[in-house]
Amino acid sequence: GHNLDAKPNVRSFNSVLNAWAKSGHHLAPQRAGEVLDWMEDLDRNSDLKVSPDATSFATAINAFARSNAFGKAQASYEIFLHMKELYDTSGKSKLRPNAVAYNSVLNACAFSVGDFEEQSRAIEIANAMLVGLQKSSYAKPDHVTYGTYLKVINNQMPPSQSRDQIVETVFRKCAKEGMVSEMVMRQLREMGMESVCESLMGSSSWGEMKLSDLPGDWTCNVIEGKRMRRRQFRR
């Protein structure tokens, strides 16, 4: 008979997806997509119940985000929409789009490369992700969301008054929600926009502004590291 102890499960498949995502191989996005399709097919047509969960989809999205594939923002968005559709139709809690999934798409948008049309599409998708997460009833933006969104703006928009206005609006929202982290501050520094902090605080800082210089309610809800991951994947 079969060795039941060696029976593959969702965790096994997610490990394969993670290996592809981190491999740096030029076929990694394609292979990750094939693994996702395989999981869905096995779940429908075999006794092996290994339907992908939110981690599966977020990891497949990361395979695109880490690649040099053209159109990766759109491809990542389509994987996300497929996951959301599966959740909406099945109601399975393990498919519920969490902040990790949203942030993975944002990451793909931040590092999209290509022409003006590609950059514009990456910004459109990033806007949809941020607004969608803000309106979601089961997940909310965290400091990674805001930091990665600012990275999208930094990488995909040329310096302009409109870019500065977007950054200021997003930072105000981030500060109001207590989500200003070192990651968020790093993006402000890279864009030369630490003055946004100073104008909000009503004071100027000599030298590089540190998190400890900021009002406590701007940073009070930041959760980092393993503690954040446990909270995001909790069901």
Side-chain angles (χ1 to χ4, degrees):
H2 296 294
N3 181 358
L4 296 180
D5 291 335
K7 184 179 180 180
N9 55 25
V10 175
R11 183 174 291 184
S12 313
F13 278 92
N14 286 349
S15 296
V16 174
L17 284 167
N18 192 45
W20 276 117
K22 292 180 176 178
S23 69
H25 195 282
H26 70 285
L27 290 177
Q30 180 183 330
R31 294 290 183 258
E34 289 169 357
V35 172
L36 268 185
D37 291 343
W38 188 23
M39 291 174 77
E40 289 189 61
D41 184 58
L42 285 171
D43 190 57
R44 284 191 303 264
N45 303 313
S46 80
D47 294 331
L48 202 59
K49 297 303 176 186
V50 287
S51 62
D53 57 14
T55 302
S56 314
F57 283 98
T59 310
I61 290 168
N62 278 331
F64 276 94
R66 291 167 179 252
S67 75
N68 294 320
F70 184 80
K72 65 184 179 182
Q74 182 64 36
S76 298
Y77 187 44
E78 288 172 4
I79 293 172
F80 175 86
L81 290 177
H82 179 53
M83 174 180 71
K84 191 171 185 306
E85 182 184 13
L86 288 176
Y87 172 68
D88 290 341
T89 54
S90 73
K92 292 180 180 177
S93 61
K94 70 175 189 175
L95 284 167
R96 186 184 297 141
N98 54 29
V100 176
Y102 281 90
N103 293 346
S104 297
V105 178
L106 283 171
N107 195 43
C109 295
F111 293 99
S112 286
V113 291
D115 54 17
F116 177 76
E117 186 177 340
E118 179 80 357
Q119 289 182 307
S120 299
R121 185 59 182 145
I123 294 167
E124 285 176 14
I125 292 169
N127 289 338
M129 288 290 99
L130 182 59
V131 171
L133 191 49
Q134 287 171 338
K135 290 181 176 179
S136 172
S137 57
Y138 37 78
K140 291 299 172 195
D142 56 23
H143 76 100
V144 177
T145 309
Y146 287 110
T148 311
Y149 181 84
L150 290 173
K151 187 72 173 176
V152 175
I153 301 305
N154 187 15
N155 287 354
Q156 309 299 352
M157 280 188 81
S160 65
Q161 188 174 355
S162 98
R163 185 178 88 159
D164 291 352
Q165 288 172 344
I166 290 170
V167 171
E168 182 168 352
T169 300
V170 171
F171 182 79
R172 283 177 180 273
K173 179 78 171 167
C174 178
K176 184 179 180 182
E177 293 179 6
M179 288 294 180
V180 179
S181 65
E182 181 52 47
M183 180 183 183
V184 171
M185 291 297 293
R186 185 164 61 248
Q187 295 311 313
L188 287 186
R189 290 187 202 109
E190 286 186 11
M191 289 185 276
M193 290 196 64
E194 286 180 280
S195 58
V196 172
C197 287
E198 295 176 354
S199 64
L200 266 182
M201 288 170 61
S203 63
S204 52
S205 167
W206 296 100
E208 188 175 283
M209 189 172 287
K210 300 180 179 65
L211 281 182
S212 56
D213 299 326
L214 304 179
D217 57 352
W218 287 14
T219 61
C220 62
N221 292 321
V222 174
I223 301 171
E224 300 194 67
K226 291 181 180 177
R227 186 172 157 219
M228 179 179 72
R229 285 195 295 275
R230 281 198 300 271
R231 179 166 166 176
Q232 285 171 330
F233 285 113
R234 190 176 297 153
R235 298 193 187 109

